[in-house]
Each structure stands twice: as C-alpha cells, then as structure tokens.
Amino acid sequence: MKTYQDLLEARKSGREADVIAFIQSAIADHKAGRIYQTAVDAQLYYDGENPTINRYEKILYDMQGRAHRDMWTANHKIASKFFGIVVRQEVNYLLGNGVSFKDGSVKEKLGESFDRRIQAVGRFALIGGVAFGFWNLDHVEVFKVTEFVPLEDEVKECIEHP
C-alpha cells in the first residue's frame, strides 16, 4: 500500500516524472486490491446484477476429457435488486431527516445540498465498504472507493481528548 510519505519521497526528487509514476503506481495498486474489487462487485449487486452467478459457466466434458461450455441446458440465472433496496432503506432510515446540530446556524453554513451529500456518502460507504467526503469551500465532494485512491499516513499521532 502506498502512503503519503511515499508521495513526499517522490516529490523530493524534483522530477515530475517520478510523481506521475508514483500516482500511476498507486492507482494500479488500488485497482488490484481487494477493497476495490469488492466495491466493484458490490456496485453490480446494487445495480441489480449478480456477478457471482454471471461469472459461473457450466462445463461438460467429452469422452476424451476435453472441457466444453454447456450450450444446451437452460441458463436460469436470476438476479435481484434486494441489496439495493436494503441499502436505500438503511440510508433513508439513518439519514432521511438529515443531519441535526444543536446550533441551527451551523446547518445554514454547510449549504443546501449538505444532507443529500451526506446521504450519498452513506450510500457509497454501505455499497463499497468505505467512501470519502471532502469539504470543498462551501460544499462536500463525495468520492466512492472506486473513484479515489486513499493515501494513509505512516505517522500515527494520538490526540488526547479531555
């Protein structure tokens, strides 16, 4: 896994090619990772497909032991949108009324689309296992785990709370 410190090392060389190579490598590593692949499959389930049964092929073997795809028996693969229904139901249950704050003026500062963006973060987190929200001046940008390569920090600092 690539870290933020690896990015800093690539930048120290002063060559743009090193930074580009690091970014391309980080993207390739992320796409090859288990989290990304699971999120891609989960999005297919959310969309009403079933990648598990779609990848399954029935194989028949002839007298010489050669494998052939079965082209004659019925292919009754049934997918459903149950996963999508459950995800939408949970997001609506948890965030249907929006986010509330003790001070009402906080909500006004966050913008009109804040609640919808938080619902999107929740939906993408339930689908892909993790999602990212980024505060961009006056609104929240939302990223799925399939759209964003997270760089963890090697330095773990513990912040003590009173």
Side-chain angles (χ1 to χ4, degrees):
M1 171 181 251
K2 305 283 188 216
T3 64
Y4 180 69
Q5 282 68 26
D6 296 332
L7 174 62
L8 294 178
E9 287 296 319
R11 289 181 63 198
K12 280 184 185 176
S13 71
R15 293 180 20 174
E16 188 176 336
D18 291 343
V19 176
I20 292 172
F22 170 80
I23 292 170
Q24 290 173 339
S25 173
I27 292 171
D29 288 353
H30 181 62
K31 285 187 171 183
R34 185 172 178 210
I35 292 172
Y36 182 88
Q37 296 299 324
T38 302
V40 169
D41 282 350
Q43 184 64 47
L44 291 172
Y45 280 109
Y46 181 79
D47 294 337
E49 298 180 32
N50 189 331
T52 304
I53 62 173
N54 288 343
R55 290 184 191 124
Y56 173 78
E57 288 187 11
K58 188 172 178 184
I59 303 295
L60 298 175
Y61 294 92
D62 61 16
M63 297 294 276
Q64 286 78 30
R66 293 178 297 203
H68 301 280
R69 281 185 29 209
D70 184 3
M71 304 296 285
W72 297 277
T73 57
N75 186 4
H76 299 300
K77 297 177 183 176
I78 300 171
S80 79
K81 290 195 171 226
F82 182 73
F83 179 65
I85 292 167
V86 170
V87 167
R88 284 188 296 276
Q89 182 179 11
E90 185 170 352
V91 169
N92 288 335
Y93 177 77
L94 295 174
L95 299 168
N97 293 329
V99 180
S100 59
F101 298 94
K102 289 182 181 179
D103 183 7
S105 65
V106 173
K107 186 92 169 211
E108 295 171 11
K109 295 175 186 174
L110 295 173
E112 293 179 18
S113 65
F114 180 75
D115 286 332
R116 287 191 308 273
R117 300 275 183 165
I118 295 300
Q119 287 176 350
V121 171
R123 186 173 58 252
F124 295 151
L126 287 172
I127 294 168
V130 65
F132 305 94
F134 172 72
W135 181 254
N136 190 2
L137 185 60
D138 62 346
H139 65 282
V140 175
E141 297 287 345
V142 179
F143 300 99
K144 300 177 186 180
V145 72
T146 56
E147 299 174 332
F148 185 79
V149 178
L151 292 178
E152 290 192 18
D153 196 340
E154 292 176 13
V155 179
K156 305 283 184 191
E157 293 184 19
C158 180
I159 300 173
E160 303 240 355
H161 296 284

